[in-house]
Amino acid sequence: IFRSKNPNLFNTIKMSRQGSTVKDVPAQQFVAALAAHFKKTQKLELPVWADLIKTATWKELAPYSDDWYYTRAASMARKIYLRGGLGVGNFTRIYGGRARRGTKKNRFAAANKGLHRHILQQLAASKIIASREERKGRWITQEGQRELDTIAAQFKRGGN
């Protein structure tokens, strides 16, 4: 309900919304639903080396989940949707973490660049994101926004 401070306007105007956006659903559930969508539609090609790598040099083990690549791609697509202009360097900082250095103090360390560059290239090939000539970073395309909003609307209706 919209309430106006101007007494000349109607006191209340009911506003209705038809669809849902990515901002309307919880992040964790949306990322899981989008990752399942990526896996089901095979929009992203799982690289051969996906089971061999770690997500950062300071990590000791590779991810446990078999679908970790799709989950990371879904998370990156959501972040680009919410705040465009992100590039490889931004994602290495976003997914970076605390590097344990033995007896020395812990320090921040960035995540792997090659992994995030590959995911961004895959998302661009499937036309979910694109780069703009006049600006830095990657931005969501209209087709990508439509697809992510569709997944959000399906999730909000309960049709995971």
Side-chain angles (χ1 to χ4, degrees), residues 25-41:
V25 295
Q28 189 171 4
Q29 288 89 353
F30 174 75
V31 167
L34 185 59
H37 172 73
F38 283 158
K39 185 175 182 180
K40 185 175 75 173
T41 59

Side-chain angles (χ1 to χ4, degrees), residues 72-83:
R72 179 62 59 96
S75 173
M76 289 173 67
R78 180 183 175 276
K79 285 185 183 298
I80 291 173
Y81 180 100
L82 296 175
R83 178 180 166 220

Side-chain angles (χ1 to χ4, degrees), residues 15-34:
M15 303 174 97
S16 66
R17 276 192 15 200
Q18 296 284 328
S20 298
T21 65
V22 174
K23 295 179 181 182
D24 297 333
V25 295
Q28 189 171 4
Q29 288 89 353
F30 174 75
V31 167
L34 185 59

